[in-house]
Amino acid sequence: MNSIIKESLERSFSYEEYRNLLTNLLKVGKTTGNDQSDAMIHYAELNEARLHRLDKTMQVTDEVQLKLEQLTKEYLWLVISEGWCGDAAQILPIINKMALVSDTIELRIILRDDNEEVMNMFLTNGTKSIPKLIIIDKESGEVIGDFGPRPQGAKQLILDYKAAHGVVDETAKIELQKWYLHDKGISTQNEIMELM
């Protein structure tokens, strides 16, 4: 396994630890990451509510569950995230549910701003876009693939909006959240399974 990734695992969290970290930071008016502005804390508060709802309601599809249960190799799923990230709040609960289905998947989460070297290995069009799921074969340590920051349909929605309006504003963010609500995590599940 790449030494930078290996080192980042020492600073990683289980899903439960990550969720507790976000909750505890919000109790003292903070969020994860270097930017502690009111806007970022506001986004983190919105995401806390989303995570809470999605942890309860998100379901793995029967088809994906069957594929996950049939995995024979062991995998490490390493996710780069931050508490203020709206896409992470939509995607992490489904990644967690998928990992829970399979005995062969270990899920670990690292913070983007605390793991810049790992983030720089998995840029999206030159940007530090998150969340980013890195799929690693545990036996060989080889990176099999990565997913993120969004499923294809959500990426297209933002590209189309930016082309039409020149910016990604609050309206675009609301449209994106509606897209996630309608999709119910199905696109994320299917795209991740294609990588597996």
Side-chain angles (χ1 to χ4, degrees):
M1 186 182 307
N2 179 296
S3 61
I4 294 169
I5 292 173
K6 208 172 208 174
E7 193 179 301
S8 74
L9 287 171
E10 294 169 18
R11 296 183 298 272
S12 71
F13 303 92
S14 68
Y15 185 73
E16 188 179 346
E17 290 166 340
Y18 175 79
R19 292 286 286 110
N20 288 337
L21 173 69
L22 303 185
T23 302
N24 291 331
L25 282 170
L26 281 172
K27 284 179 184 172
V28 294
K30 293 184 174 185
T31 185
T32 63
N34 298 334
D35 184 346
Q36 294 294 316
S37 65
D38 290 344
M40 288 303 192
I41 292 163
H42 173 69
Y43 291 135
E45 289 168 345
L46 290 174
N47 291 337
E48 180 77 358
R50 285 182 188 122
L51 285 162
H52 186 70
R53 175 176 52 82
L54 293 170
D55 282 340
K56 287 182 175 178
T57 60
M58 192 60 68
Q59 298 292 319
V60 177
T61 66
D62 291 342
E63 182 186 339
V64 168
Q65 180 161 339
L66 187 63
K67 288 177 183 175
L68 287 166
E69 288 170 348
Q70 292 173 343
L71 293 175
T72 54
K73 286 181 145 189
E74 292 202 344
Y75 299 94
L76 172 66
W77 282 9
L78 182 62
V79 179
I80 307 170
S81 186
E82 290 286 354
W84 45 260
C85 177
D87 290 297
Q90 293 287 352
I91 291 171
L92 258 175
I94 194 60
I95 289 175
N96 178 54
K97 292 273 177 92
M98 290 173 74
L100 290 172
V101 167
S102 175
D103 294 335
T104 67
I105 297 171
E106 178 187 1
L107 174 61
R108 301 301 295 174
I109 301 163
I110 58 173
L111 300 175
R112 183 190 77 172
D113 292 356
D114 294 345
N115 294 276
E116 204 165 333
E117 285 185 299
V118 178
M119 184 71 255
N120 288 334
M121 294 165 60
F122 296 95
L123 299 175
T124 304
N125 301 323
T127 67
K128 297 178 181 180
S129 301
I130 53 173
K132 186 67 88 158
L133 166 64
I134 305 158
I135 301 170
I136 301 165
D137 180 315
K138 266 192 171 179
E139 190 180 335
S140 69
E142 187 182 330
V143 173
I144 296 168
D146 63 85
F147 165 84
R150 300 181 178 112
Q152 197 52 50
K155 282 180 194 169
Q156 197 57 53
L157 181 144
I158 293 298
L159 287 172
D160 292 347
Y161 190 92
K162 200 171 181 180
H165 304 280
V167 293
V168 176
D169 55 15
E170 284 305 312
T171 304
K173 291 175 185 175
I174 290 166
E175 289 305 309
L176 181 61
Q177 294 306 318
K178 286 181 189 172
W179 185 93
Y180 279 120
L181 191 66
H182 177 75
D183 185 69
K184 296 179 171 50
I186 292 169
S187 295
T188 297
Q189 293 176 59
N190 290 337
E191 288 181 32
I192 291 170
M193 290 314 297
E194 282 174 27
L195 292 170
M196 297 295 292

